[in-house]
Amino acid sequence: MDIKESRKVRRLALTCVGVAVMAIGAGAVRASSPPLERPGDTFETLHSRYDARAADDPDALHLLVQAAMLCREYEPNWKSEPFITSSFRVFGAWQDRFCGGVNRGNDYARYKAIGKTTPWNSPVEKPLTLDEAVEVALTSDSPMRLESAAYAIENGSIRWQLGTGFLRYTNTVPNLGQLQAMAVRSIACRYSGACDAGGMDTMWMCARDRRCTPAITVFGLWATEHSRVEMAAVRSMLQQLMQERERRGADR
C-alpha cells in the first residue's frame, strides 16, 4: 500500500469511528422491522428507502451519513494507483458497486447538516450510565441506541457482571468490558444489517485493518483479533442477552 492509499484508509477509519461515537446522542427507538441495510444495497437504494426519514429517525440519518461517508472519497480511477493491495482491491470493487461510480461528498455534507439541526443529535455532556446502558442492551432495537450502550459498557468506570463467571479462571477478565460491548454490538448488527459480508460496518473495518476479502464479516474480523476463549465468551454473553431480550419481548 502506498502513502496515498494508506492515508485514505486511515482518514476513512477515523471518520467512521467518529460517526459511531455520535450514536451516543441518539434517543429514539425504532419499531421492529427488517434490518436497515440489506444484501445488495447501494447508496442509491439506501437513499431511496431512508432519505425522507432522515430528519426524524436517528437510525436512518446515521445510516445515510455512513453510506455517504464511505463514498465521500471514492475515486473512480483507483485501479490506476500503483501498488494496490489485495485488500484494497476488494474494497475498491465494493465501492464501485456501492457508490455507483459517484463521489458522494455533497450528500455527506447535506446529511451532516441535517444532523446539526435535529435535537436528538445534539452533543451529549455524558454517556449513558451502566444501568441505562444495560436497559438499552436488553430492550432496544435501535442500532444507534445499542451502539451507545456498547460504548458506555466498554468505557465506563463501573463494570457489568455479565460474563464474569465464564471468564473467572482465564486471563481475559481485563478485557471483559470490551467483550461485553462486542456482545451488545452483535445485537446492533442484527438490526442494522451492516455487519454481514459487504455490509457497511464490515467494509470500513476491513479497510481500516487492511483485511478485506469478499466473504469477510465483522464477526470474522473480530475472530482474527481475539482468542477462541474470548470469542466463546462473546457468544455465551450474546446468548444470555438474547434469552433475556426474548423474555422481555424485545425481539419479536
Side-chain angles (χ1 to χ4, degrees):
M1 178 181 293
D2 64 9
I3 294 175
K4 183 177 180 181
E5 179 185 337
S6 177
R7 287 176 177 170
K8 177 180 177 181
V9 171
R10 177 173 173 77
R11 285 197 304 273
L12 177 63
L14 290 174
T15 308
C16 287
V17 169
V19 170
V21 172
M22 184 183 71
I24 297 171
V29 177
R30 294 174 53 249
S32 295
S33 63
L36 289 171
E37 184 182 351
R38 301 164 196 174
D41 266 338
T42 64
F43 178 89
E44 286 293 344
T45 61
L46 295 173
H47 175 272
S48 176
R49 195 182 305 146
Y50 299 114
D51 183 73
R53 293 163 46 183
D56 303 309
D57 184 340
D59 287 305
L61 179 60
H62 174 72
L63 177 143
L64 291 169
V65 169
Q66 186 176 14
M69 177 185 57
L70 284 163
C71 298
R72 182 177 61 162
E73 295 188 357
Y74 172 68
E75 297 174 359
N77 297 322
W78 63 268
K79 293 179 182 178
S80 64
E81 295 288 338
F83 310 114
I84 296 175
T85 64
S86 60
S87 173
F88 193 74
R89 190 174 298 280
V90 170
F91 181 71
W94 177 85
Q95 278 191 310
D96 282 343
R97 181 193 66 80
F98 184 81
C99 303
V102 179
N103 183 293
R104 301 293 179 176
N106 290 337
D107 295 284
Y108 177 78
R110 183 169 72 87
Y111 288 129
K112 290 289 285 185
I114 292 174
K116 292 179 181 179
T117 65
T118 52
W120 41 258
N121 199 36
S122 59
V124 179
E125 293 182 0
K126 59 181 180 179
L128 298 173
T129 66
L130 179 60
D131 287 344
E132 291 169 339
V134 171
E135 185 65 17
V136 168
L138 295 177
T139 60
S140 180
D141 61 2
S142 162
M144 289 187 70
R145 289 292 286 167
L146 288 162
E147 175 59 36
S148 300
Y151 180 86
I153 289 166
E154 182 173 0
N155 296 283
S157 58
I158 302 175
R159 290 269 70 92
W160 192 12
Q161 293 303 303
L162 178 70
T164 53
F166 186 88
L167 296 173
R168 184 174 300 161
Y169 303 107
T170 74
N171 61 357
T172 62
V173 172
N175 298 332
L176 181 59
Q178 181 184 33
L179 302 181
Q180 291 169 339
M182 289 165 61
V184 175
R185 288 188 174 104
S186 298
I187 301 172
C189 288
R190 171 178 179 172
Y191 290 103
S192 72
C195 303
D196 297 332
M200 289 192 291
D201 284 354
T202 297
M203 297 313 297
W204 81 253
M205 284 182 65
C206 76
R208 176 198 66 188
D209 299 340
R210 304 176 188 177
R211 293 181 178 179
C212 293
T213 63
I216 197 66
T217 66
V218 165
F219 311 102
L221 289 165
W222 282 348
T224 67
E225 300 169 356
H226 297 275
S227 69
R228 292 183 178 180
V229 171
E230 289 173 322
M231 293 304 297
V234 171
R235 289 191 294 271
S236 175
M237 289 186 284
L238 175 59
Q239 182 178 19
Q240 293 178 56
L241 290 174
M242 294 303 295
Q243 289 173 347
E244 179 60 19
R245 287 173 62 88
E246 183 178 0
R247 187 186 72 80
R248 295 188 180 203
D251 295 306
R252 297 181 293 274

